[in-house]
Amino acid sequence: MREFIMYSSKGATAPEFFLKDLPGSGGRMDLVARCVISALWLSRDMRRDSRIVFSLNGPPDPPLAISFDGGELERVSPDERNISIWIKKTLKQRKDVGGDWLETHKGIQISRKSFWNLLEERKDKNLYILQEEGDDIREVKPRGEDIFVLGDHIGLPENGKFAEKFGAKRISVGPESYFSSQSISIVHNELDRRGV
Amino acid sequence: MREFIMYSSKGATAPEFFLKDLPGSGGRMDLVARCVISALWLSRDMRRDSRIVFSLNGPPDPPLAISFDGGELERVSPDERNISIWIKKTLKQRKDVGGDWLETHKGIQISRKSFWNLLEERKDKNLYILQEEGDDIREVKPRGEDIFVLGDHIGLPENGKFAEKFGAKRISVGPESYFSSQSISIVHNELDRRGV
């Protein structure tokens, strides 16, 4: 199982954002959607062993966490608009949810978990924080069952200084500052090559 | 200069496709747009040394070629919808264009060049065809001024058998069948690491 946890600092936490304006009204929901595509799709198949959880921290009702599970997902298409439609549908059920996961559609869940909750729950796992100043992913040997944590265009809270607290290792995917979705593609490629 | 040439088998060749339905009416224009994002954007900057040309071969008026040049582009945002709006605007000028490039907006050009024209014009350059059965990109040493050719979800014409004719080398980015946009991210990452 490969899991990605993405921190979205501005991602909308109510369904009233516009599909015509995912970057603005959605708080860069286009970027979140592209991360879902990178995390769960291959050209001719889905990555059934992968999951992505994104922590939405924009207005009006943060925090919320939504997960897309490649092993369960059905009827979702890999384009920004379609994924955003499913996120909107899921956000409609935010009033019914607390700290546990609620399945809103097959393979999609929502919860009131904060970004810290998500990390806390995984502190005994192999946590990797994707950051430019980390060790090169090609030199790091993931041990399987790995969790990769990354920020959006703004970055991670406290610039990722919380990494140590959760026993996380900082790793870098390359010498440039990539989009989150590009970083996810590079991580997958590295793990594919190792057969992890 | 890094250049990507993408073959889109169904990409719309008139502006009457719907922004609400890029996958269907646009002939997977969502996929084309994501390739543009992967080819030309980093998280905090554009790749000013990169260019992408896509060959559109869908109805009603193929073939058409459109190029986006990272060194010139202005006012374009890296999301599927915005890039598709610029493609629509550009397609409106298709009646004015022949075999030469016509600049429709800063950094965006259109031409009647076919996929074969695009390859023929570059046969003296370092052409690489991205295919699963190619040599591992990590073992291949691009010499700079490289051109990477790739297909869409359907693949390349003749399954890329034309590679030899144009003196092109087949290379692979990894053991899975990736989306074109994912492959572009992996190619960029490899070149970034080598400082090419």
Side-chain angles (χ1 to χ4, degrees):
Chain A
M1 176 69 144
R2 300 176 190 174
E3 189 173 49
F4 296 89
I5 298 183
M6 185 208 169
Y7 181 82
S8 166
S9 42
K10 306 275 187 201
T13 44
E16 287 79 22
F17 62 89
F18 303 112
L19 294 171
K20 285 187 176 187
D21 183 24
L22 297 176
S25 71
R28 294 308 306 272
M29 201 60 86
D30 61 308
L31 194 153
V32 170
R34 285 199 302 280
C35 284
V36 174
I37 299 171
S38 293
L40 303 186
W41 269 269
L42 284 165
S43 179
R44 287 188 270 276
D45 206 356
M46 288 203 66
R47 290 188 178 271
R48 296 291 175 193
D49 66 337
S50 297
R51 181 178 188 231
I52 181 167
V53 183
F54 40 92
S55 171
L56 299 173
N57 297 280
D61 197 13
L64 285 169
I66 295 180
S67 80
F68 277 62
D69 189 332
E72 301 281 339
L73 217 55
E74 285 177 4
R75 295 169 49 209
V76 179
S77 300
D79 65 273
E80 290 176 16
R81 185 183 160 89
N82 187 267
I83 289 170
S84 300
I85 287 170
W86 287 100
I87 293 172
K88 278 170 81 93
K89 283 183 186 177
T90 297
L91 286 171
K92 281 185 186 153
Q93 286 184 251
R94 75 187 190 285
K95 300 290 188 199
D96 310 324
V97 75
D100 292 325
W101 288 110
L102 170 73
E103 185 170 71
T104 56
H105 306 280
K106 191 142 173 64
I108 308 179
Q109 296 183 307
I110 187 169
S111 155
R112 281 269 161 214
K113 291 177 201 292
S114 70
F115 184 59
W116 303 111
N117 296 148
L118 295 170
L119 295 179
E120 187 84 44
E121 289 172 359
R122 289 161 178 79
K123 67 181 176 188
D124 298 326
K125 303 274 185 82
N126 303 330
L127 274 175
Y128 295 98
I129 314 271
L130 269 62
Q131 284 198 300
E132 288 159 61
E133 58 270 28
D135 295 334
D136 187 353
I137 188 172
R138 293 194 187 179
E139 307 301 322
V140 174
K141 304 287 175 213
R143 292 159 285 174
E145 299 293 319
D146 302 302
I147 295 157
F148 300 91
V149 181
L150 68 171
D152 59 4
H153 59 301
I154 295 170
L156 286 164
E158 302 172 18
N159 194 27
K161 287 204 183 71
F162 55 83
E164 289 74 19
K165 186 179 167 198
F166 296 105
K169 201 172 171 76
R170 292 167 194 247
I171 60 172
S172 157
V173 295
E176 295 288 353
S177 174
Y178 300 97
F179 271 144
S180 316
S181 55
Q182 296 167 345
S183 297
I184 291 172
S185 295
I186 297 165
V187 168
H188 265 318
N189 178 248
E190 185 60 28
L191 299 183
D192 293 341
R193 285 170 168 273
R194 291 189 202 161
V196 178
Chain B
M1 175 69 146
R2 301 177 189 172
E3 189 174 48
F4 296 89
I5 298 183
M6 185 209 171
Y7 181 82
S8 165
S9 43
K10 307 276 186 202
T13 45
E16 287 79 24
F17 62 89
F18 303 113
L19 294 171
K20 284 186 176 186
D21 183 25
L22 297 175
S25 71
R28 294 309 306 271
M29 201 60 85
D30 61 308
L31 194 153
V32 170
R34 285 199 302 279
C35 284
V36 175
I37 300 171
S38 293
L40 303 186
W41 269 269
L42 285 165
S43 178
R44 286 188 270 276
D45 207 353
M46 287 203 66
R47 290 188 177 271
R48 295 292 175 191
D49 66 337
S50 297
R51 181 178 188 229
I52 180 167
V53 183
F54 40 93
S55 171
L56 299 173
N57 296 280
D61 196 11
L64 286 168
I66 296 180
S67 80
F68 277 63
D69 188 331
E72 301 282 338
L73 217 53
E74 286 178 2
R75 296 169 49 208
V76 179
S77 300
D79 65 274
E80 289 176 17
R81 184 183 161 90
N82 188 265
I83 288 170
S84 300
I85 287 171
W86 286 99
I87 293 172
K88 279 170 82 91
K89 283 183 186 178
T90 297
L91 286 171
K92 281 187 185 150
Q93 287 185 250
R94 76 187 189 285
K95 301 291 188 198
D96 310 324
V97 76
D100 293 325
W101 288 110
L102 171 73
E103 185 171 73
T104 57
H105 304 278
K106 192 143 174 63
I108 308 180
Q109 294 182 307
I110 186 168
S111 155
R112 281 269 161 214
K113 292 177 200 292
S114 69
F115 184 59
W116 303 110
N117 296 148
L118 295 170
L119 295 179
E120 188 83 45
E121 289 173 358
R122 288 162 178 80
K123 68 181 176 188
D124 298 325
K125 302 276 186 81
N126 304 329
L127 274 175
Y128 295 98
I129 313 271
L130 269 63
Q131 284 198 299
E132 288 159 59
E133 58 270 32
D135 295 334
D136 187 352
I137 188 172
R138 292 194 188 178
E139 306 302 322
V140 173
K141 304 286 176 212
R143 291 159 287 172
E145 298 294 319
D146 301 302
I147 295 158
F148 299 90
V149 181
L150 69 171
D152 59 4
H153 59 300
I154 295 171
L156 286 165
E158 301 171 19
N159 195 29
K161 287 203 184 73
F162 55 82
E164 289 75 19
K165 186 179 166 198
F166 296 105
K169 201 173 172 77
R170 293 167 192 247
I171 59 172
S172 157
V173 295
E176 297 287 353
S177 175
Y178 300 98
F179 271 142
S180 316
S181 55
Q182 296 167 345
S183 296
I184 291 172
S185 296
I186 297 165
V187 168
H188 265 318
N189 179 247
E190 185 61 26
L191 299 183
D192 293 341
R193 285 171 168 273
R194 291 188 202 162
V196 178

